[in-house]
Amino acid sequence: KNQVEQSPQSLIILEGKNCTLQCNYTVSPFSNLRWYKQDTGRGPVSLTIMTFSENTKSNGRYTATLDADTKQSSLHITASQLSDSASYICVVSDRGSTLGRLYFGRGTQLTVWP
Amino acid sequence: EADIYQTPRYLVIGTGKKITLECSQTMGHDKMYWYQQDPGMELHLIHYSYGVNSTEKGDLSSESTVSRIRTEHFPLTLESARPSHTSQYLCASSETGIYNEQFFGPGTRLTVL
């Protein structure tokens, strides 16, 4: 069964600190992995995308890694800001269908305190 | 910010009412999707469309129906709302191609009393 598991479920950090969010998946055949940020009451917004051959991808203070062998990904946030408070969702796409089926994790709820 | 819009943003209605959730995108995307999301849970695909006059059911069984008469418009209808339909409904669109990002609307928070 194709699944995406994220940890931790929730995380509280102080402003300015770094944090790392984890994502493990069993989706096969693998196409790509995205990290989305979802603010409360809003739709998800893509932060990064990685395909099978990519190990690291950065977008400002966000750095995502991918280990396709162990089927693990992480999202590292550097020098956190209050606006980083949101749910971060790991989304894996398979290449077994023309739709490009997406499998969603439940997200990590990040809270940044001043 | 993506050019995909959903109305209403919030809706509270009584059981048995018919409702239509609107979704429009101005990006000319062929593919559109409807997802259902409960608090703290993952998004579940309930409907999708490859283009005009194309609609398919997603992975999560839903009593809602959709239509795609125009490329930019993908409304979702519930003929008779029930409390079990209370949820957040997210619309998304993407270009054709498996690497293409799905752009999400802001969602409609539906509460059925």
Side-chain angles (χ1 to χ4, degrees):
Chain A
K1 179 182 177 182
N2 289 321
Q3 283 186 312
V4 178
E5 301 286 343
Q6 291 187 243
S7 62
Q9 183 176 350
S10 62
L11 181 63
I12 299 174
I13 61 174
L14 294 176
E15 186 179 13
K17 298 296 185 182
N18 305 333
C19 66
T20 301
L21 314 180
Q22 301 290 343
C23 173
N24 296 335
Y25 63 91
T26 60
V27 177
S28 181
F30 174 84
S31 173
N32 62 81
L33 183 149
R34 287 186 185 272
W35 283 92
Y36 277 85
K37 178 186 179 187
Q38 184 175 22
D39 293 312
T40 301
R42 308 291 298 180
V45 176
S46 179
L47 295 174
T48 64
I49 178 175
M50 287 183 291
T51 58
F52 186 87
S53 58
E54 296 176 299
N55 301 117
T56 303
K57 184 74 69 76
S58 291
N59 177 4
R61 294 180 296 103
Y62 302 104
T63 300
T65 66
L66 174 65
D67 185 333
D69 292 330
T70 62
K71 299 186 177 181
Q72 296 179 324
S73 176
S74 67
L75 179 69
H76 186 75
I77 303 174
T78 303
S80 60
Q81 301 175 357
L82 298 179
S83 59
D84 293 332
S85 294
S87 178
Y88 292 84
I89 303 173
C90 177
V91 185
V92 181
S93 178
D94 74 10
R95 51 182 172 86
S97 69
T98 56
L99 180 64
R101 175 77 168 81
L102 298 185
Y103 297 87
F104 291 82
R106 294 185 176 184
T108 292
Q109 183 64 49
L110 175 66
T111 303
V112 180
W113 282 3
Chain B
E1 190 145 325
D3 296 320
I4 181 164
Y5 309 97
Q6 290 185 243
T7 57
R9 291 293 313 281
Y10 303 93
L11 181 60
V12 181
I13 61 169
T15 297
K17 299 293 186 183
K18 177 181 178 180
I19 62 167
T20 297
L21 307 185
E22 302 289 347
C23 175
S24 295
Q25 50 97 5
T26 58
M27 297 173 282
H29 289 166
D30 286 328
K31 291 183 178 178
M32 295 191 74
Y33 317 80
W34 275 102
Y35 291 90
Q36 187 172 339
Q37 183 183 31
D38 293 318
M41 302 296 287
E42 63 267 46
L43 278 71
H44 290 285
L45 181 68
I46 52 175
H47 297 283
Y48 61 94
S49 167
Y50 285 113
V52 172
N53 295 325
S54 154
T55 61
E56 302 286 347
K57 289 190 177 296
D59 304 312
L60 182 67
S61 175
S62 174
E63 294 167 344
S64 58
T65 59
V66 293
S67 62
R68 191 87 183 276
I69 299 173
R70 304 198 313 269
T71 298
E72 63 272 21
H73 196 213
F74 192 41
L76 180 147
T77 299
L78 273 167
E79 290 293 333
S80 180
R82 295 206 299 268
S84 60
H85 296 139
T86 294
S87 189
Q88 167 138 322
Y89 293 85
L90 289 162
C91 180
S93 71
S94 71
E95 294 180 349
T96 302
I98 60 174
Y99 291 138
N100 287 320
E101 176 183 352
Q102 288 192 18
F103 293 88
F104 287 84
T108 294
R109 169 68 64 184
L110 173 66
T111 302
V112 183
L113 303 177

